[in-house]
Amino acid sequence: MFDTMKILTLTLNPAFDIHCTADKFLPERENHMKTYSRYIGGKGVNISRALRENGVDSTAFVVLGRQNAADFEIELSACGVDYVPVYAEGRIRENITIHPENAPETRISFEGCPVAEEIVRKVFDMILPLCGKDTIFTFNGRLPEGLSVYDVSPYLEKVKSLGAKLVIDSSSFGIDDFSLVRPWLIKPNQEEISDCMGININTTEDAVDAARMIHDKGIENVMVSLGGKGAVLVSDEFVCTASVPDIKVVSTIGAGDSSIAGFCVAYAEGKSKDFCLAEAVAYGSAACLTDGTNPPRKDDVEKILAEVFVKTTR
């Protein structure tokens, strides 16, 4: 689809996302689930799935635990995602999300298989030859057991040195880590930016102020997703806020990842940053209309995009 840019995603810590529904959920009690469904997930995988669902190509690099990798690969292939597997010993982790009718969803996350630095080196030996000024590279998700930010940062620096646009969406990175690596784009959500800054971010204005502070540390684009309140973007060019239409949320899992997909595809098509933000919130909102961790549908993205309002200030 793109003449000038390609999109690569990396998921070191993928997951099977298990979704259960219940009439009610009571802590400290036995709870009976009504339905069960399972999806493949992990932030980079979610981005590549969102792109593929909307007719956009990407290459997903995924580290898979050997014990249950086959099931994961079957689903990746069924989604039509172009992927490159790298195998580690152990099992791919599972996340369980409970969707009760009487309360917000509850998520339980397990640890996945440990990933050694030698596996990271193997992955980047394949990724780095593909990186250049025509590349957007997304590094996504919490680091698996066995790795630290210091283990992966040198490889991310190499990605940048080759001219690629580096996107990081990982709760393993703190403000000091972002300041050192200086990615092209980061996308914390409301909770993540509150934790990162050590303050409560409650309003759009709070989010803009926090994003400005992070931007001033050398991060070119800081996008903060705020759920039903939309999103903000602080960039070198301007500050944008985006509002979203009211929708009936089915599942929020993967919505933030889809918003990154929307931003990247708009940028790869040569769109302005304010349109990139609009496309991001359209992708993210459309993802909330699908079950479980399913990607946003193209028709939903287009309908929501027509109702997104972006305000730009200098």
Side-chain angles (χ1 to χ4, degrees), residues 208 212 233-235 237-241 310-314:
V208 169
R212 282 186 188 275
L233 172 69
V234 176
S235 69
E237 295 86 350
F238 39 60
V239 175
C240 299
T241 58
V310 177
K311 181 180 178 181
T312 301
T313 58
R314 296 291 172 179

Side-chain angles (χ1 to χ4, degrees), residues 215-285:
H215 174 265
D216 289 344
K217 292 183 178 292
I219 290 84
E220 185 176 339
N221 301 287
V222 181
M223 179 170 60
V224 183
S225 56
L226 301 169
K229 290 179 283 189
V232 307
L233 172 69
V234 176
S235 69
D236 286 352
E237 295 86 350
F238 39 60
V239 175
C240 299
T241 58
S243 61
V244 295
D246 290 333
I247 60 171
K248 185 177 180 180
V249 174
V250 177
S251 172
T252 62
I253 306 299
D257 309 323
S258 291
S259 69
I260 292 176
F263 191 98
C264 290
V265 69
Y267 186 85
E269 291 175 338
K271 302 292 176 43
S272 62
K273 296 278 184 71
D274 54 343
F275 187 89
C276 290
L277 181 63
E279 187 103 321
V281 298
Y283 266 66
S285 298

Side-chain angles (χ1 to χ4, degrees), residues 81-144:
V81 171
D82 179 23
Y83 73 96
V84 179
V86 177
Y87 302 102
E89 297 306 317
R91 291 180 58 82
I92 300 167
R93 66 193 174 100
E94 296 177 331
N95 295 321
I96 300 174
T97 304
I98 301 169
H99 303 270
E101 294 183 3
N102 69 326
E105 63 191 23
T106 295
R107 196 175 197 197
I108 302 167
S109 296
F110 294 90
E111 290 292 338
C113 58
V115 175
E117 195 273 336
E118 63 189 48
I119 291 181
V120 176
R121 183 169 61 252
K122 181 178 180 179
V123 173
F124 276 95
D125 282 346
M126 293 185 285
I127 290 172
L128 291 173
L130 303 177
C131 290
K133 293 181 179 180
D134 64 342
T135 310
I136 298 174
F137 172 74
T138 74
F139 182 84
N140 318 278
R142 178 167 52 88
L143 291 174

Side-chain angles (χ1 to χ4, degrees), residues 140-158:
N140 318 278
R142 178 167 52 88
L143 291 174
E145 181 184 347
L147 289 180
S148 72
V149 171
Y150 299 103
D151 294 319
V152 299
S153 291
Y155 298 101
L156 300 179
E157 292 287 356
K158 289 180 182 178

